[in-house]
Structures are given as C-alpha cells and as structure tokens.
C-alpha cells in the first residue's frame, strides 16, 4: 500500500473494530496507530495493514507536516483530527 502516514483509518478487524486512528508510522506490513486516548502517541498500536480501512482524509496540514518530520505532536491534536472526521 502507498504511504499512509498522516491518514485517518478505521480498524476493520479485532476487538477495536470501527475505531478511528491516525497513522503515525508505517513498516512493510504494519502501521502504528494512535487515537490520542487509549493508544497515545508514545504507545501506538501496531496493526497489520490488512486490518485497517483507509479514509480519503488526511489530518490537518500543519499536523501532517509535524508527523512526517517527526516533530512534537500532542494527543489532544490527534483526538481533534479524529473528531473533525466524525463531524
């Protein structure tokens, strides 16, 4: 799959099915996800790419650039990005 960093995704399998996350990092077969609450930035959830559904939306541009550049981001920013998707 293409680069997913900064994209909003939903879990499509597992006990967290339908939970929205932001992709913080990506490996060949896995993505590292944060929802800002249960899986904060410092402890992202590792999930197989096969088990996520990708939304067309990205996080806000400023936050996206900071995620890509591995700059400091906060959990409340992740929560806000997910909230904006749901609204």
């Amino acid at each position: 799959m293409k680069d997913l960093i900064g994209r909003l995704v939903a879990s499509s399998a597992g006990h967290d099915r339908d939970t929205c996350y932001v992709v913080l990092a990506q490996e060949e077969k896995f993505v590292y996800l944060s929802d800002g609450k249960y899986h904060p930035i410092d402890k992202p959830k590792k999930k197989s790419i096969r088990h996520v559904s990708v939304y067309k939306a990205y996080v806000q541009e400023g936050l996206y650039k900071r995620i890509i550049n591995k700059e400091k981001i906060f959990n409340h920013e992740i929560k806000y990005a997910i909230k904006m998707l749901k609204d």
Side-chain angles (χ1 to χ4, degrees):
M1 222 176 226
K2 293 183 181 178
D3 191 30
L4 297 177
I5 296 174
R7 297 281 297 260
L8 294 162
V9 299
S11 174
S12 59
H15 71 277
D16 62 342
R17 171 177 272 190
D18 297 328
T19 303
C20 293
Y21 296 102
V22 173
V23 178
L24 299 179
Q26 181 177 357
E27 292 178 351
E28 188 175 325
K29 295 181 181 181
F30 296 98
V31 288
Y32 292 88
L33 310 171
S34 174
D35 64 359
K37 185 174 181 180
Y38 299 111
H39 297 283
I41 294 164
D42 58 341
K43 292 181 111 183
K45 178 176 187 67
K46 182 179 180 181
K47 194 153 186 91
S48 172
I49 290 176
R50 297 179 306 152
H51 296 153
V52 296
S53 300
V54 181
Y55 290 112
K56 291 181 181 178
Y58 282 87
V59 295
Q60 298 84 353
E61 186 176 347
L63 180 57
Y64 174 76
K65 287 180 181 178
R66 293 194 350 245
I67 292 171
I68 293 294
N69 295 328
K70 301 202 183 302
E71 296 175 11
K72 180 74 173 164
I73 55 176
F74 298 95
N75 288 314
H76 66 85
E77 293 173 306
I78 299 294
K79 286 190 245 182
Y80 182 75
I82 293 169
K83 182 179 182 285
M84 298 298 352
L85 172 71
K86 289 183 176 181
D87 290 346

Coordinates of all heavy atoms in Angstrom, one line a residue:
M1 N 0.8 -1.2 0.0 CA 0.0 0.0 0.0 C 0.9 1.2 0.0 O 2.0 1.2 0.5 CB -0.9 0.0 1.2 CG -2.3 0.4 1.0 SD -3.3 0.2 2.4 CE -4.7 -0.5 1.7
K2 N 0.4 2.3 -0.5 CA 1.1 3.6 -0.6 C 1.4 4.1 0.9 O 0.9 3.5 1.8 CB 0.3 4.6 -1.3 CG 0.1 4.3 -2.8 CD -0.6 5.5 -3.4 CE -0.8 5.2 -4.9 NZ -1.5 6.3 -5.6
D3 N 2.1 5.2 0.9 CA 2.4 5.8 2.2 C 1.2 6.2 2.9 O 0.4 7.0 2.4 CB 3.4 6.9 2.0 CG 3.9 7.4 3.3 OD1 4.1 6.6 4.2 OD2 4.2 8.7 3.3
L4 N 0.9 5.7 4.1 CA -0.3 6.0 4.9 C -0.1 7.0 6.0 O -1.0 7.3 6.7 CB -0.9 4.7 5.4 CG -1.3 3.7 4.4 CD1 -1.8 2.4 5.1 CD2 -2.4 4.2 3.5
I5 N 1.2 7.4 6.2 CA 1.4 8.3 7.4 C 0.6 9.6 7.2 O 0.5 10.2 6.2 CB 2.9 8.6 7.4 CG1 3.7 7.3 7.7 CG2 3.2 9.6 8.5 CD1 5.2 7.5 7.6
G6 N -0.1 9.9 8.4 CA -0.9 11.1 8.4 C -2.3 10.8 8.0 O -3.2 11.7 8.0
R7 N -2.6 9.6 7.5 CA -4.0 9.3 7.1 C -4.9 8.9 8.2 O -4.4 8.4 9.2 CB -4.0 8.2 6.1 CG -3.3 8.4 4.8 CD -4.0 9.2 3.7 NE -5.2 8.7 3.2 CZ -5.4 8.1 2.1 NH1 -4.3 7.8 1.3 NH2 -6.5 7.6 1.7
L8 N -6.1 9.1 8.1 CA -7.1 8.6 9.1 C -7.6 7.2 8.6 O -7.9 7.1 7.4 CB -8.3 9.6 9.2 CG -7.9 10.9 9.8 CD1 -8.9 12.0 9.5 CD2 -7.7 10.8 11.2
V9 N -7.6 6.3 9.5 CA -8.0 4.9 9.2 C -9.0 4.4 10.3 O -9.1 5.0 11.4 CB -6.8 4.0 9.1 CG1 -5.8 4.4 8.0 CG2 -6.1 3.9 10.4
A10 N -9.7 3.4 9.9 CA -10.5 2.7 10.9 C -10.1 1.2 11.0 O -9.7 0.6 9.9 CB -12.0 2.8 10.5
S11 N -10.1 0.7 12.1 CA -9.8 -0.7 12.3 C -10.9 -1.6 11.7 O -12.1 -1.3 12.0 CB -9.7 -1.1 13.8 OG -9.5 -2.4 14.0
S12 N -10.6 -2.5 10.9 CA -11.6 -3.4 10.3 C -11.7 -4.8 10.8 O -12.5 -5.6 10.4 CB -11.4 -3.4 8.7 OG -10.1 -4.0 8.4
A13 N -10.8 -5.1 11.8 CA -10.7 -6.4 12.4 C -10.2 -6.3 13.8 O -9.5 -5.4 14.1 CB -9.9 -7.3 11.6
G14 N -10.7 -7.2 14.7 CA -10.2 -7.2 16.0 C -11.2 -6.6 17.0 O -12.3 -6.2 16.6
H15 N -10.9 -6.6 18.3 CA -11.8 -6.1 19.3 C -12.0 -4.6 19.2 O -12.9 -4.1 19.7 CB -11.3 -6.5 20.7 CG -10.0 -5.7 21.1 ND1 -8.8 -6.1 20.7 CD2 -9.9 -4.6 21.8 CE1 -7.9 -5.2 21.2 NE2 -8.6 -4.3 21.9
D16 N -11.1 -3.9 18.4 CA -11.3 -2.5 18.3 C -11.9 -2.1 16.9 O -11.8 -1.0 16.4 CB -9.9 -1.8 18.4 CG -8.9 -2.2 17.3 OD1 -9.1 -3.3 16.7 OD2 -7.9 -1.5 17.1
R17 N -12.6 -3.0 16.3 CA -13.3 -2.8 15.0 C -14.0 -1.5 15.0 O -14.7 -1.1 16.0 CB -14.2 -4.0 14.7 CG -15.1 -3.7 13.5 CD -15.9 -4.9 13.2 NE -15.1 -5.7 12.3 CZ -15.5 -6.8 11.7 NH1 -16.7 -7.2 11.9 NH2 -14.7 -7.4 10.9
D18 N -13.9 -0.7 13.9 CA -14.6 0.5 13.7 C -14.0 1.7 14.5 O -14.6 2.8 14.5 CB -16.1 0.4 13.9 CG -16.8 -0.5 12.9 OD1 -16.3 -0.6 11.8 OD2 -17.8 -1.2 13.3
T19 N -12.9 1.5 15.2 CA -12.3 2.6 15.9 C -11.4 3.4 15.0 O -10.7 2.8 14.1 CB -11.4 2.0 17.1 OG1 -12.2 1.2 17.9 CG2 -10.7 3.1 17.9
C20 N -11.5 4.7 15.1 CA -10.7 5.6 14.2 C -9.3 5.9 14.8 O -9.2 6.0 16.0 CB -11.4 6.9 14.0 SG -12.9 6.7 13.0
Y21 N -8.3 5.9 13.9 CA -7.0 6.2 14.3 C -6.3 7.1 13.3 O -6.7 7.2 12.2 CB -6.1 4.9 14.4 CG -6.6 3.9 15.4 CD1 -7.3 2.8 15.0 CD2 -6.2 4.0 16.8 CE1 -7.7 1.8 16.0 CE2 -6.6 3.0 17.7 CZ -7.3 2.0 17.3 OH -7.7 1.0 18.2
V22 N -5.1 7.6 13.7 CA -4.3 8.4 12.8 C -3.0 7.5 12.7 O -2.5 7.0 13.7 CB -3.9 9.8 13.4 CG1 -2.8 10.4 12.5 CG2 -5.1 10.6 13.5
V23 N -2.5 7.3 11.5 CA -1.3 6.6 11.2 C -0.1 7.4 11.5 O 0.1 8.5 10.9 CB -1.2 6.1 9.7 CG1 0.0 5.3 9.5 CG2 -2.5 5.2 9.4
L24 N 0.7 7.0 12.5 CA 1.9 7.7 12.8 C 3.2 7.2 12.1 O 4.1 8.0 11.9 CB 2.2 7.7 14.4 CG 1.1 8.2 15.2 CD1 1.4 8.0 16.7 CD2 0.8 9.7 14.9
A25 N 3.2 5.9 11.8 CA 4.4 5.4 11.2 C 3.9 4.1 10.4 O 2.8 3.6 10.6 CB 5.4 5.0 12.2
Q26 N 4.8 3.7 9.5 CA 4.4 2.6 8.6 C 5.7 1.7 8.3 O 6.7 2.3 8.1 CB 3.8 3.1 7.3 CG 3.4 2.0 6.4 CD 2.8 2.5 5.1 OE1 2.6 3.7 4.9 NE2 2.4 1.6 4.2
E27 N 5.5 0.4 8.4 CA 6.5 -0.5 8.0 C 5.9 -1.3 6.8 O 4.9 -0.9 6.3 CB 6.8 -1.5 9.1 CG 7.5 -0.9 10.3 CD 7.8 -1.9 11.4 OE1 7.2 -3.0 11.4 OE2 8.5 -1.6 12.4
E28 N 6.6 -2.3 6.4 CA 6.2 -3.0 5.2 C 4.8 -3.6 5.3 O 3.9 -3.3 4.4 CB 7.2 -4.1 4.9 CG 6.9 -4.8 3.5 CD 7.9 -5.8 3.2 OE1 9.1 -5.6 3.5 OE2 7.5 -6.9 2.6
K29 N 4.5 -4.3 6.4 CA 3.2 -4.9 6.6 C 2.4 -4.3 7.8 O 1.3 -4.8 8.0 CB 3.4 -6.4 6.8 CG 3.9 -7.1 5.5 CD 4.0 -8.6 5.8 CE 4.6 -9.3 4.6 NZ 4.7 -10.7 4.7
F30 N 2.9 -3.4 8.5 CA 2.3 -2.9 9.7 C 2.2 -1.4 9.7 O 3.0 -0.7 9.1 CB 3.0 -3.3 10.9 CG 3.0 -4.8 11.1 CD1 4.1 -5.6 10.7 CD2 2.0 -5.5 11.7 CE1 4.1 -7.0 10.9 CE2 1.9 -6.8 11.9 CZ 3.0 -7.6 11.5
V31 N 1.2 -0.9 10.4 CA 1.1 0.6 10.7 C 1.1 0.8 12.2 O 0.6 -0.1 12.9 CB -0.1 1.2 10.0 CG1 0.1 1.3 8.5 CG2 -1.4 0.4 10.3
Y32 N 1.5 1.9 12.6 CA 1.4 2.3 14.0 C 0.4 3.4 14.2 O 0.5 4.4 13.6 CB 2.8 2.7 14.5 CG 3.8 1.6 14.5 CD1 4.5 1.3 13.4 CD2 3.9 0.8 15.6 CE1 5.4 0.2 13.4 CE2 4.8 -0.3 15.6 CZ 5.5 -0.6 14.5 OH 6.4 -1.7 14.5
L33 N -0.6 3.1 15.0 CA -1.8 3.9 15.1 C -1.9 4.6 16.5 O -1.6 4.0 17.5 CB -3.0 3.1 14.8 CG -3.0 2.2 13.6 CD1 -4.2 1.2 13.6 CD2 -3.0 3.0 12.3
S34 N -2.5 5.8 16.5 CA -2.8 6.5 17.7 C -4.2 7.1 17.6 O -4.6 7.6 16.6 CB -1.8 7.6 18.0 OG -2.2 8.3 19.1
D35 N -5.0 6.9 18.7 CA -6.3 7.6 18.8 C -6.2 8.8 19.8 O -7.2 9.4 20.1 CB -7.4 6.6 19.2 CG -7.2 6.0 20.6 OD1 -6.2 6.3 21.3 OD2 -8.1 5.2 20.9
G36 N -5.0 9.0 20.4 CA -4.9 10.1 21.4 C -5.4 9.8 22.8 O -5.2 10.6 23.7
K37 N -6.0 8.6 23.0 CA -6.6 8.3 24.3 C -6.1 7.0 24.8 O -5.3 6.9 25.6 CB -8.1 8.4 24.2 CG -8.8 8.2 25.5 CD -10.3 8.4 25.4 CE -11.0 8.2 26.8 NZ -12.4 8.4 26.7
Y38 N -6.7 5.9 24.2 CA -6.3 4.5 24.6 C -5.0 4.1 24.0 O -4.3 3.3 24.6 CB -7.4 3.5 24.2 CG -8.7 3.8 24.8 CD1 -9.8 4.3 24.1 CD2 -8.9 3.7 26.2 CE1 -11.0 4.6 24.6 CE2 -10.1 4.0 26.8 CZ -11.2 4.5 26.0 OH -12.4 4.7 26.6
H39 N -4.6 4.7 22.9 CA -3.3 4.4 22.3 C -2.7 5.8 22.0 O -2.7 6.3 20.9 CB -3.5 3.6 21.0 CG -4.1 2.2 21.2 ND1 -3.3 1.2 21.8 CD2 -5.3 1.8 21.1 CE1 -4.1 0.2 21.9 NE2 -5.3 0.5 21.5
P40 N -2.0 6.3 23.1 CA -1.4 7.6 22.9 C -0.2 7.6 22.0 O 0.3 6.5 21.6 CB -1.0 8.0 24.3 CG -0.9 6.7 25.0 CD -1.9 5.8 24.4
I41 N 0.3 8.7 21.7 CA 1.4 8.9 20.7 C 2.6 8.1 21.2 O 3.3 7.5 20.4 CB 1.8 10.4 20.6 CG1 0.6 11.0 19.8 CG2 3.0 10.6 19.8 CD1 0.6 12.5 19.9
D42 N 2.9 8.1 22.5 CA 4.1 7.4 23.0 C 3.9 5.9 23.1 O 4.9 5.2 23.3 CB 4.5 8.0 24.3 CG 3.5 7.9 25.4 OD1 2.3 7.8 25.0 OD2 3.8 8.0 26.6
K43 N 2.7 5.4 22.9 CA 2.5 3.9 22.9 C 1.5 3.6 21.8 O 0.4 3.1 22.0 CB 1.9 3.5 24.2 CG 2.9 3.6 25.4 CD 2.2 3.1 26.6 CE 2.9 1.8 27.0 NZ 2.3 1.1 28.2
P44 N 1.9 3.7 20.5 CA 0.9 3.5 19.4 C 0.6 2.0 19.3 O 1.4 1.1 19.7 CB 1.7 4.0 18.2 CG 3.1 3.9 18.5 CD 3.2 4.2 20.0
K45 N -0.5 1.8 18.7 CA -1.0 0.4 18.4 C -0.4 -0.1 17.1 O -0.5 0.6 16.1 CB -2.5 0.3 18.3 CG -3.1 -1.0 18.0 CD -4.6 -0.9 18.0 CE -5.2 -2.3 17.9 NZ -4.9 -3.2 19.1
K46 N 0.2 -1.3 17.1 CA 0.8 -1.9 15.9 C -0.3 -2.8 15.3 O -0.8 -3.6 16.0 CB 2.0 -2.7 16.3 CG 2.7 -3.4 15.1 CD 3.9 -4.1 15.5 CE 4.6 -4.8 14.3 NZ 5.8 -5.6 14.8
K47 N -0.6 -2.5 14.1 CA -1.7 -3.3 13.4 C -1.3 -3.6 12.0 O -0.7 -2.8 11.3 CB -3.0 -2.5 13.5 CG -4.2 -3.2 13.1 CD -5.4 -2.6 13.8 CE -6.7 -3.4 13.6 NZ -6.9 -4.4 14.7
S48 N -1.7 -4.8 11.5 CA -1.5 -5.2 10.1 C -2.2 -4.2 9.2 O -3.3 -3.8 9.4 CB -1.9 -6.6 9.9 OG -1.9 -6.9 8.6
I49 N -1.6 -3.9 8.1 CA -2.2 -3.0 7.1 C -3.5 -3.7 6.6 O -4.4 -3.0 6.2 CB -1.2 -2.7 5.9 CG1 -0.1 -1.8 6.4 CG2 -1.9 -2.1 4.7 CD1 0.9 -1.5 5.4
R50 N -3.5 -5.0 6.5 CA -4.7 -5.7 6.0 C -5.9 -5.5 6.9 O -7.1 -5.7 6.5 CB -4.5 -7.2 5.9 CG -3.4 -7.6 5.0 CD -3.1 -9.1 4.9 NE -2.9 -9.6 6.3 CZ -3.1 -10.8 6.7 NH1 -3.7 -11.7 5.9 NH2 -2.8 -11.2 7.9
H51 N -5.7 -5.1 8.2 CA -6.8 -4.9 9.1 C -7.2 -3.5 9.4 O -7.8 -3.2 10.4 CB -6.4 -5.6 10.4 CG -6.2 -7.1 10.3 ND1 -5.4 -7.8 11.1 CD2 -6.7 -8.0 9.4 CE1 -5.4 -9.1 10.8 NE2 -6.2 -9.2 9.7
V52 N -6.9 -2.6 8.4 CA -7.4 -1.2 8.5 C -8.1 -0.8 7.2 O -7.7 -1.3 6.1 CB -6.2 -0.2 8.9 CG1 -5.7 -0.5 10.2 CG2 -5.2 -0.2 7.8
S53 N -9.1 0.0 7.4 CA -9.8 0.6 6.2 C -9.3 2.1 6.2 O -9.4 2.8 7.2 CB -11.3 0.6 6.4 OG -11.7 -0.7 6.6
V54 N -8.9 2.5 5.0 CA -8.3 3.8 4.9 C -9.3 4.8 4.4 O -10.0 4.6 3.4 CB -7.1 3.8 3.9 CG1 -6.5 5.2 3.7 CG2 -6.1 2.8 4.3
Y55 N -9.4 5.9 5.2 CA -10.3 7.0 4.7 C -9.5 7.9 3.7 O -8.3 7.9 3.7 CB -10.7 7.9 5.9 CG -11.6 7.3 6.9 CD1 -11.2 7.0 8.2 CD2 -12.9 7.0 6.6 CE1 -12.0 6.4 9.1 CE2 -13.8 6.5 7.5 CZ -13.3 6.1 8.8 OH -14.2 5.6 9.6
K56 N -10.2 8.6 2.9 CA -9.6 9.5 2.0 C -8.9 10.7 2.7 O -8.0 11.4 2.1 CB -10.6 10.0 0.9 CG -11.1 9.0 0.0 CD -12.0 9.5 -1.0 CE -12.5 8.4 -1.9 NZ -13.5 8.9 -2.9
A57 N -9.4 11.0 3.9 CA -8.9 12.2 4.6 C -7.6 12.0 5.2 O -7.2 11.0 5.7 CB -10.0 12.5 5.7
Y58 N -6.9 13.1 5.2 CA -5.6 13.3 6.0 C -5.9 14.2 7.2 O -6.9 14.9 7.2 CB -4.5 13.9 5.1 CG -3.9 13.0 4.1 CD1 -4.4 12.9 2.9 CD2 -2.7 12.3 4.5 CE1 -3.8 12.0 1.9 CE2 -2.1 11.5 3.5 CZ -2.6 11.4 2.3 OH -2.0 10.5 1.4
V59 N -5.0 14.2 8.1 CA -5.1 15.2 9.2 C -4.8 16.6 8.7 O -4.4 16.7 7.5 CB -4.1 14.8 10.4 CG1 -4.4 13.5 11.0 CG2 -2.7 14.8 9.9
Q60 N -5.0 17.6 9.5 CA -4.8 19.0 9.1 C -3.3 19.1 8.6 O -2.4 18.4 9.1 CB -5.1 20.0 10.2 CG -6.5 20.0 10.7 CD -6.8 18.9 11.7 OE1 -5.9 18.0 12.0 NE2 -8.0 18.9 12.3
E61 N -3.1 20.0 7.7 CA -1.8 20.2 7.0 C -0.6 20.4 8.0 O 0.4 19.8 7.9 CB -1.8 21.3 6.0 CG -0.5 21.4 5.2 CD -0.6 22.5 4.1 OE1 -1.7 23.0 3.8 OE2 0.4 22.8 3.6
G62 N -0.9 21.3 9.0 CA 0.2 21.6 10.0 C 0.6 20.3 10.8 O 1.8 20.1 11.0
L63 N -0.4 19.6 11.2 CA -0.2 18.4 12.0 C 0.5 17.3 11.1 O 1.4 16.6 11.5 CB -1.5 17.8 12.5 CG -1.4 16.6 13.4 CD1 -0.5 16.7 14.5 CD2 -2.8 16.2 13.8
Y64 N 0.0 17.2 9.8 CA 0.6 16.3 8.9 C 2.1 16.5 8.7 O 2.9 15.6 8.8 CB -0.1 16.4 7.5 CG 0.5 15.5 6.5 CD1 0.3 14.2 6.4 CD2 1.3 16.1 5.5 CE1 0.9 13.4 5.4 CE2 1.9 15.3 4.5 CZ 1.7 14.0 4.5 OH 2.2 13.2 3.5
K65 N 2.5 17.8 8.5 CA 3.9 18.1 8.3 C 4.7 17.7 9.6 O 5.8 17.2 9.5 CB 4.1 19.6 8.0 CG 3.6 19.9 6.6 CD 3.8 21.4 6.3 CE 3.3 21.7 4.9 NZ 3.5 23.2 4.7
R66 N 4.1 17.9 10.8 CA 4.9 17.6 12.0 C 5.0 16.1 12.2 O 6.0 15.6 12.7 CB 4.2 18.3 13.2 CG 4.3 19.8 13.1 CD 4.0 20.6 14.3 NE 3.4 19.9 15.4 CZ 2.2 20.2 15.9 NH1 1.4 21.1 15.3 NH2 1.7 19.5 16.9
I67 N 4.0 15.3 11.8 CA 4.1 13.9 11.8 C 5.2 13.4 10.9 O 6.0 12.6 11.3 CB 2.7 13.2 11.5 CG1 1.7 13.5 12.6 CG2 2.9 11.7 11.4 CD1 0.3 13.1 12.3
I68 N 5.2 13.9 9.7 CA 6.2 13.5 8.7 C 7.6 13.8 9.1 O 8.5 13.0 9.0 CB 5.8 14.1 7.3 CG1 4.6 13.6 6.7 CG2 7.0 14.0 6.3 CD1 4.6 12.2 6.3
N69 N 7.8 15.0 9.7 CA 9.1 15.5 10.1 C 9.5 14.9 11.5 O 10.5 15.3 12.0 CB 9.2 17.0 10.1 CG 9.0 17.5 8.7 OD1 9.4 16.9 7.7 ND2 8.4 18.7 8.5
K70 N 8.6 14.1 12.1 CA 8.8 13.5 13.4 C 9.1 14.6 14.5 O 9.9 14.5 15.4 CB 10.0 12.5 13.4 CG 9.7 11.4 12.4 CD 10.5 10.2 12.8 CE 10.4 9.1 11.8 NZ 9.1 8.6 11.6
E71 N 8.3 15.7 14.4 CA 8.3 16.8 15.4 C 7.3 16.4 16.5 O 6.6 15.5 16.4 CB 8.0 18.1 14.7 CG 9.0 18.6 13.7 CD 8.6 19.8 13.0 OE1 7.6 20.5 13.4 OE2 9.2 20.1 11.9
K72 N 7.4 17.3 17.5 CA 6.5 17.0 18.7 C 5.0 17.2 18.3 O 4.6 18.3 17.8 CB 6.9 18.0 19.8 CG 6.1 17.9 21.1 CD 6.5 16.7 21.9 CE 5.7 16.7 23.2 NZ 5.8 15.4 23.8
I73 N 4.2 16.2 18.6 CA 2.8 16.3 18.5 C 2.1 15.9 19.8 O 2.8 15.2 20.6 CB 2.2 15.5 17.3 CG1 2.7 14.0 17.4 CG2 2.7 16.1 16.0 CD1 2.1 13.2 16.3
F74 N 0.9 16.3 20.0 CA 0.2 16.0 21.3 C -1.0 15.2 21.0 O -1.6 15.2 20.0 CB -0.2 17.4 21.9 CG 1.0 18.2 22.3 CD1 1.4 19.2 21.4 CD2 1.7 18.0 23.4 CE1 2.5 20.0 21.7 CE2 2.8 18.8 23.7 CZ 3.2 19.8 22.9
N75 N -1.4 14.4 22.1 CA -2.5 13.6 22.0 C -3.8 14.3 21.7 O -4.7 13.8 21.0 CB -2.7 12.7 23.3 CG -1.6 11.7 23.4 OD1 -1.3 11.0 22.5 ND2 -1.0 11.6 24.6
H76 N -4.0 15.5 22.2 CA -5.2 16.3 22.0 C -5.3 16.7 20.5 O -6.4 16.8 20.0 CB -5.3 17.5 22.9 CG -4.3 18.5 22.7 ND1 -4.5 19.5 21.8 CD2 -3.1 18.8 23.3 CE1 -3.4 20.3 21.8 NE2 -2.6 19.9 22.7
E77 N -4.2 16.8 19.8 CA -4.3 17.1 18.4 C -4.8 15.9 17.6 O -5.5 16.1 16.6 CB -2.9 17.5 17.9 CG -2.4 18.8 18.5 CD -1.0 19.2 18.1 OE1 -0.1 18.3 18.4 OE2 -0.8 20.3 17.6
I78 N -4.4 14.7 18.0 CA -4.8 13.5 17.4 C -6.3 13.3 17.6 O -7.1 13.0 16.7 CB -4.1 12.3 17.9 CG1 -2.6 12.4 17.6 CG2 -4.7 11.0 17.3 CD1 -2.2 12.3 16.2
K79 N -6.8 13.6 18.9 CA -8.2 13.4 19.2 C -9.0 14.4 18.4 O -10.1 14.1 17.9 CB -8.4 13.7 20.7 CG -8.0 12.6 21.6 CD -8.5 12.8 23.0 CE -7.3 13.0 23.9 NZ -7.7 13.1 25.3
Y80 N -8.5 15.7 18.2 CA -9.2 16.7 17.5 C -9.3 16.3 16.0 O -10.4 16.5 15.4 CB -8.5 18.0 17.6 CG -9.2 19.2 16.9 CD1 -10.4 19.7 17.4 CD2 -8.7 19.7 15.7 CE1 -11.0 20.7 16.8 CE2 -9.3 20.7 15.0 CZ -10.5 21.2 15.6 OH -11.1 22.2 14.9
A81 N -8.3 15.8 15.4 CA -8.3 15.4 14.0 C -9.3 14.3 13.8 O -10.1 14.3 12.8 CB -6.9 14.9 13.6
I82 N -9.4 13.3 14.7 CA -10.4 12.3 14.6 C -11.8 12.8 14.8 O -12.8 12.5 14.0 CB -10.1 11.1 15.6 CG1 -8.8 10.4 15.2 CG2 -11.3 10.1 15.7 CD1 -8.3 9.5 16.3
K83 N -12.0 13.7 15.7 CA -13.3 14.4 15.9 C -13.8 15.1 14.7 O -14.9 15.1 14.3 CB -13.2 15.3 17.1 CG -14.5 16.0 17.4 CD -14.4 16.9 18.6 CE -15.6 17.6 19.0 NZ -16.0 18.6 18.2
M84 N -12.8 15.8 14.0 CA -13.2 16.6 12.8 C -13.7 15.6 11.7 O -14.6 15.9 10.9 CB -12.0 17.4 12.3 CG -11.5 18.4 13.2 SD -12.5 19.8 13.7 CE -14.0 19.9 12.9
L85 N -13.1 14.4 11.6 CA -13.5 13.4 10.6 C -14.9 13.0 10.9 O -15.8 12.8 10.0 CB -12.6 12.2 10.6 CG -13.0 11.0 9.8 CD1 -12.9 11.4 8.3 CD2 -12.3 9.8 10.1
K86 N -15.2 12.7 12.1 CA -16.6 12.2 12.5 C -17.7 13.3 12.3 O -18.8 12.9 12.1 CB -16.5 11.7 13.9 CG -15.7 10.4 14.1 CD -15.8 9.9 15.5 CE -15.1 8.6 15.7 NZ -15.2 8.1 17.0
D87 N -17.3 14.5 12.5 CA -18.3 15.6 12.3 C -18.7 15.9 10.9 O -18.7 15.6 10.0 CB -17.9 16.9 13.0 CG -17.8 16.7 14.5 OD1 -18.4 15.8 15.1 OD2 -17.2 17.6 15.2

